[in-house]
Amino acid sequence: MKDVLEYTSYRQYIADYYAEKKAKSAFTWQEFTRAAGFSSPVHLKYASEGRLNLSDAAALRVAQAMHLVDFEQEYFCEMVKFDNAKTDAEKKAAFSKMLSIADAHKAKIIEGDSFRYFESWKNPVLRELAPAMPGAKPLTLAKTCRPAITAAEVSETLNFLVKAGLLKKDEEGRYVQTDTFVTTGPMEVTPVAVRGMHRQMGEFAVDAVEGVAQDERHFSGLTMGLTHKAYDEIVQELDACRKRIATIATRDAEVDDVYRLNFQLFPLTNKSLNKKV
């Protein structure tokens, strides 16, 4: 069984813990649940299946029942807090604490680098900008960014991108991308950071309406009534369009500027137009 610091789902950890104990002994859910102080014999089974939730107060009892100690208990409790969180801010705080605990004990959360990458706009921008400006110093890169950032922020971001394997240095010390694209994949935690990235980029788009010359930006929009079927078809068309644009963007070896393209399709009404009143 993996170390608890390698998990991001407390439910999966409970399920794996039970499966390992069951394979070695006559361990039962009732025995497990009783050790954690629950009256229902199936409480932890249902929690592992997503049918019940653990409260923050019960998390420590469950951690102790699984013989976790010290920082392991703290990490498990943060996983429960992450799962119970109602807002992205709460989820981000819990997962950041999980990353902090894992880092302190030299453990790597597989999804940690992905979360950190999408947490800040600086990461994707500098991942594109640094290879496009070979030999540029952090201060020069910082002044090129819009909005401007500090040289220290550039250095910190580049160090992270290299450590995460998203950039590397060639024999001449120039930054090159290890892959053409970065995508989230089917991850559990990363979407929290991605939603934050969308908010950041949305704010930059608003600023660009007045702050960027019209011949350097393109804004257009369409307000329309849609059926659910039409919505699904449009989403598929947008995905296909995004892939075609990505192919165009990577066709040339050189880069003049780093751009952001937002695809946004969202409702302007409540879902009540076809309901009988």
Side-chain angles (χ1 to χ4, degrees), residues 116-183:
R116 288 180 171 123
Y117 177 78
F118 289 103
E119 191 177 16
S120 171
W121 65 270
K122 295 189 289 289
N123 295 318
V125 169
L126 285 168
R127 180 178 175 275
E128 298 293 331
L129 186 61
M133 299 177 63
K137 299 298 183 182
L139 182 59
T140 302
L141 292 171
K143 291 180 178 179
T144 305
C145 289
R146 192 204 305 257
I149 55 178
T150 66
E153 289 177 301
V154 169
S155 296
E156 181 181 3
T157 300
L158 292 176
N159 288 337
F160 162 71
L161 292 172
V162 171
K163 182 180 178 181
L166 297 167
L167 284 181
K168 64 179 180 181
K169 286 189 175 182
D170 62 16
E171 296 178 353
E172 298 181 10
R174 298 174 300 189
Y175 288 101
V176 294
Q177 294 180 353
T178 54
D179 295 290
T180 304
F181 303 111
V182 175
T183 183

